[in-house]
Amino acid sequence: MELKDLRYLLAIRDTGHLGRAAISLGITQPALTKCIQRLEKIYSAKLLLKAGRGIYLTEAGLLLCDRAQKIVHALEVTQRDMSSLADGNAGYIRLGAAASAAEFMLPKLTGQLLHAAPSVQLEIKVGLNDLLQSALREKQLDIILGFLPENGEEFIAIPLLDDPVVLVASKDHPLAGIHPTAEQLNQYSWLLPSRGVATRQWLEHRLLGAGYPLPRVQIEANTLASLRMVIAETHLLSFLSRRVLKEQQSAVALVEIPLPLLVMPRTFGLQFHSWSELTPAARKLASIAGKIWDYQR
């Protein structure tokens, strides 16, 4: 039995006439008759009976039509699903996102992805960049959205936008608006991420290299995103995204302390093993991300 035989039988049921069914299928009536004979031989049952100039389905014919309808529908759905998978309009993406990227990039990216591919499913893991890279290395993630290491050659990287990190404090901080000396900077404590975070390592390296003392850390946190109000309500110094600072100036009273020494260049983008290893859905995500930001400097 071939799938087309079932389709032919359904056409006969829908038209109630061999000639009209043959015309709708684009085949000859003898070819359609042979199809029915083939099915009747396979199932050892009479499927059609003549009634004047028309025909009607036997009980066996009705049963086979019912099953055939389900089979044809299931195969059509499967075909659409397979096409969607191939086009990236469906599928599963294991996405790693740095905390900053999850806050200001992920909403727009997922919004456009789910609009373009409503059947895509996402598993999102938010974490530190080094932990996400480890998960990517172990094939526990498909792709990472986060800041790109300066000399990262292990993974393919697609830069999306620049987002430097700068020295910040509350708007009424004594250092606000001035270029602080090492002595002035050393008068105040800091709120910083843990020592394992790349931004803190960069900050400490720059300060030591310029003859400044290491920051005196009073509060250490695994993320600074939710602690901006703490900075605004104290005289603690910190190290935050310039973009976040500009976007939230009206909501959080923070300012950039003008110290070019402590402007850390940072580029956000995507990291993955290779384009060929990405699923079609992950490739669609990467393509959409590229169109959203187009490496905006």
Side-chain angles (χ1 to χ4, degrees):
M1 182 185 68
E2 297 182 12
L3 181 61
K4 68 177 182 180
D5 291 342
L6 297 180
R7 295 183 186 275
Y8 290 175
L9 179 63
L10 291 173
I12 294 172
R13 180 201 63 182
D14 294 341
T15 60
H17 193 277
L18 281 173
R20 287 194 292 271
I23 292 172
S24 70
L25 294 167
I27 62 173
T28 64
Q29 187 169 324
L32 187 55
T33 300
K34 286 182 179 179
C35 157
I36 299 304
Q37 291 172 346
R38 191 160 51 243
L39 288 173
E40 289 179 335
K41 183 177 180 180
I42 291 171
Y43 291 107
S44 300
K46 193 71 176 174
L47 301 177
L48 300 177
L49 289 175
K50 291 184 178 180
R53 293 187 177 183
I55 57 172
Y56 68 90
L57 292 164
T58 65
E59 187 176 357
L62 289 170
L63 176 62
L64 184 57
C65 278
D66 180 64
R67 302 295 169 81
Q69 186 72 61
K70 294 174 181 176
I71 292 170
V72 170
H73 175 71
L75 289 173
E76 288 174 348
V77 170
T78 300
Q79 180 63 47
R80 288 197 298 269
D81 289 347
M82 294 297 288
S83 296
S84 293
L85 283 171
D87 295 339
N89 293 325
Y92 194 80
I93 306 172
R94 299 172 303 168
L95 173 66
S100 297
E103 181 182 7
F104 76 91
M105 298 178 77
L106 203 53
K108 181 179 289 188
L109 178 57
T110 53
Q112 294 202 18
L113 174 66
L114 296 182
H115 176 75
S119 297
V120 163
Q121 291 182 296
L122 283 168
E123 176 189 341
I124 300 174
K125 180 178 182 180
V126 179
L128 298 176
N129 220 51
D130 55 344
L131 296 178
L132 296 176
Q133 284 189 324
S134 178
L136 182 62
R137 196 174 293 116
E138 295 171 6
K139 303 295 182 73
Q140 296 173 1
L141 293 174
D142 300 313
I143 194 166
I144 295 174
L145 176 67
F147 71 86
L148 304 178
E150 289 185 2
N151 298 313
E153 298 180 353
E154 182 179 3
F155 306 114
I156 291 176
I158 298 178
L160 297 175
L161 61 89
D162 289 339
D163 181 39
V165 185
V166 297
L167 175 63
V168 302
S170 64
K171 66 176 183 179
D172 57 354
H173 195 284
L175 297 183
I178 69 172
H179 187 299
T181 63
E183 290 74 21
Q184 289 174 317
L185 205 62
N186 196 39
Q187 293 177 26
Y188 300 96
S189 297
W190 293 68
L191 189 162
L192 288 176
S194 61
R195 289 185 179 275
V197 176
T199 51
R200 177 166 171 181
Q201 293 173 355
W202 185 94
L203 171 69
E204 292 181 344
H205 178 76
R206 291 286 285 185
L207 287 172
L208 285 176
Y212 283 65
L214 281 174
R216 189 171 62 254
V217 181
Q218 190 164 6
I219 299 179
E220 186 174 272
N222 61 346
T223 177
L224 303 187
S226 57
L227 298 178
R228 289 190 285 268
M229 287 301 299
V230 173
I231 304 168
E233 294 295 329
T234 66
H235 279 174
L236 294 173
L237 300 172
S238 194
F239 203 44
L240 292 176
S241 156
R242 178 182 281 164
R243 179 203 52 78
V244 168
L245 193 64
K246 290 180 179 179
E247 288 181 358
Q248 300 196 357
Q249 274 182 336
S250 58
V252 183
L254 297 178
V255 294
E256 178 180 346
I257 305 298
L259 187 58
L261 171 71
L262 298 184
V263 176
M264 173 185 169
R266 184 174 66 167
T267 300
F268 277 89
L270 297 171
Q271 296 177 75
F272 49 89
H273 285 284
S274 71
W275 189 257
S276 62
E277 288 188 29
L278 287 180
T279 64
R283 288 199 292 271
K284 180 175 281 289
L285 179 145
S287 176
I288 289 173
K291 291 176 182 176
I292 292 174
W293 289 286
D294 192 25
Y295 196 20
Q296 300 169 7
R297 288 183 175 275

